[in-house]
């Protein structure tokens, strides 16, 4: 019984380059008719052994999205380059009083996210240091029980060797073993019970590939 989603939007993009350096930016705004949202409603039929009095359902409401993306890269010296990106999206939904749906931020919206990378690339050897920063997400849909998500800063390191079609790489993600929870997963069990399930901590990896 749900109506199909319809979008009406505007995108603006610009790119600047000078030699090996470049900057790209994009901003967008979108009005969404009949966005499919999740909401809680009273259970119609009880099931033995399941005590929940509320059930999750879906409904069409109008909504809006707006955000931006920014990326840049530049050489520091021969073989050494610095790059990064930044992104943000803000979503809001209109209310529907008949269904008890409040006007609120859209659920499961990613927070402000930035990334910076320093990469050294020689003929055979390469190495990269990456810093990923995620901001706090305080714009949540409280009617669904969505809770604010704290930001985090993660450091990733990797290095490797290329030789006669063989590539060896090793590294570590989340070097300082930071506690991180994902803002995009709260609706799925067991997340929607209110349990905070963190993402993996420090992880070491090694990869071998052969191109022939």
């Amino acid at each position: 019984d749900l109506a199909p989603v319809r979008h009406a939007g505007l995108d603006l993009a610009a790119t600047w380059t000078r030699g090996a350096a470049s900057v790209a930016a994009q901003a967008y705004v979108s009005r969404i008719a009949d966005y499919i949202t999740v909401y809680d409603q009273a259970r119609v039929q009880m099931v033995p052994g399941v005590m929940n009095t509320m059930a999750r359902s879906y409904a069409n409401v109008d909504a809006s999205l707006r955000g931006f993306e920014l990326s840049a890269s530049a050489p520091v010296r021969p073989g050494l380059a610095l790059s990064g990106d930044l992104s943000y999206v803000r979503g809001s939904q209109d209310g529907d009083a008949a269904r008890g749906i409040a006007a609120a931020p859209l659920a499961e919206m990613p927070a402000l996210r930035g990334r910076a990378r320093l990469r050294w690339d020689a003929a055979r050897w390469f190495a990269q240091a990456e810093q990923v920063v995620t901001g706090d997400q305080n714009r949540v849909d409280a009617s669904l029980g969505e809770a604010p998500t704290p930001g985090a800063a993660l450091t990733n390191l990797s290095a490797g060797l290329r030789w006669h079609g063989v590539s060896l790489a090793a590294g570590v993600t989340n070097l300082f073993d930071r506690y991180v929870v994902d803002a995009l997963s709260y609706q799925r069990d067991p997340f929607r019970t209110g349990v905070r399930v963190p993402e993996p901590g420090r992880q070491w990896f090694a990869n071998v590939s052969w191109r022939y």
Side-chain angles (χ1 to χ4, degrees):
D1 295 329
L2 294 171
V5 179
R6 294 167 295 167
H7 291 256
L10 176 66
D11 291 87
L12 298 175
T15 303
W16 175 86
T17 59
R18 184 173 182 179
S22 67
V23 177
Q26 180 183 15
Y28 57 89
V29 59
S30 179
R31 184 63 179 169
I32 309 171
D34 294 321
Y35 176 86
I36 299 174
T37 191
V38 180
Y39 75 106
D40 284 335
Q41 67 171 17
R43 288 188 56 181
V44 176
Q45 181 178 358
M46 299 303 291
V47 177
V50 179
M51 304 306 295
N52 295 342
T53 59
M54 301 297 292
R56 290 220 159 154
S57 189
Y58 302 88
N60 290 118
V61 296
D62 293 336
S64 62
L65 289 171
R66 56 186 182 274
F68 69 85
E69 298 175 359
L70 177 68
S71 62
S73 62
V76 178
R77 53 176 297 178
L80 186 65
L82 179 66
S83 63
D85 54 73
L86 186 68
S87 62
Y88 178 72
V89 60
R90 183 184 181 96
S92 301
Q93 70 179 22
D94 298 347
D96 185 338
R99 290 187 172 95
I101 300 173
L106 286 180
E108 294 193 304
M109 286 285 101
L112 177 70
R113 185 176 187 272
R115 179 171 53 180
R117 294 179 297 273
L118 184 64
R119 183 177 178 87
W120 173 69
D121 208 331
R124 290 186 178 179
W125 297 91
F126 59 91
Q128 178 173 285
E130 179 183 61
Q131 186 72 21
V132 181
V133 179
T134 304
D136 297 340
Q137 180 54 289
N138 297 314
R139 300 190 76 255
V140 297
D141 189 348
S143 65
L144 290 177
E146 187 179 23
T149 302
L154 305 180
T155 302
N156 306 320
L157 301 176
S158 61
L161 166 67
R162 293 183 293 262
W163 183 74
H164 293 300
V166 177
S167 178
L168 308 175
V172 56
T173 60
N174 195 358
L175 174 64
F176 299 108
D177 201 24
R178 302 296 190 191
Y179 177 85
V180 182
V181 292
D182 194 344
L184 306 179
S185 60
Y186 89 98
Q187 287 195 61
R188 287 167 284 283
D189 289 329
F191 301 95
R192 67 177 181 177
T193 64
V195 174
R196 286 288 195 182
V197 180
E199 296 298 300
R202 183 188 300 113
Q203 297 184 91
W204 299 90
F205 68 88
N207 299 324
V208 179
S209 64
W210 175 36
R211 179 172 294 182
Y212 57 92

